[in-house]
Amino acid sequence: AAGRMSGGEQQRLALACALVGGTPLVLADEPTGALDDASAEQVVAAMLHATARGATIVAASHDANVIGAATSVVRLEHGRRVA
């Protein structure tokens, strides 16, 4: 049951549910935030796979791996876009 899953397991399950069936748009807030390095790498790989199949993923993240995998990055400071 989802209630017995760790935070990281719940996070991975939520992303998997969003990606199953070819969801065209996924909004992800810190998709690797509660994960260990190996799990975070799997999540980034799944996100890249989904975008290769045509999905658009908009993610808010501080994780350099998530940011590095992005095709476009918008940086915000205090709610404002910065260069």
Side-chain angles (χ1 to χ4, degrees):
R4 294 186 211 159
M5 299 172 85
S6 71
E9 289 170 331
Q10 290 177 21
Q11 195 165 350
R12 288 193 310 269
L13 177 61
L15 180 62
C17 289
L19 297 177
V20 168
T23 303
L25 175 64
V26 176
L27 304 177
D29 183 14
E30 295 290 353
T32 59
L35 305 179
D36 60 39
D37 290 342
S39 295
E41 287 177 19
Q42 291 176 342
V43 165
V44 171
M47 292 169 62
L48 287 171
H49 182 72
T51 58
R53 290 186 329 217
T56 298
I57 299 176
V58 177
S61 184
H62 292 92
D63 184 333
N65 294 321
V66 172
I67 295 166
T71 57
S72 180
V73 175
V74 174
R75 187 166 174 250
L76 301 176
E77 278 186 21
H78 306 291
R80 295 190 187 274
R81 185 178 181 166
V82 295

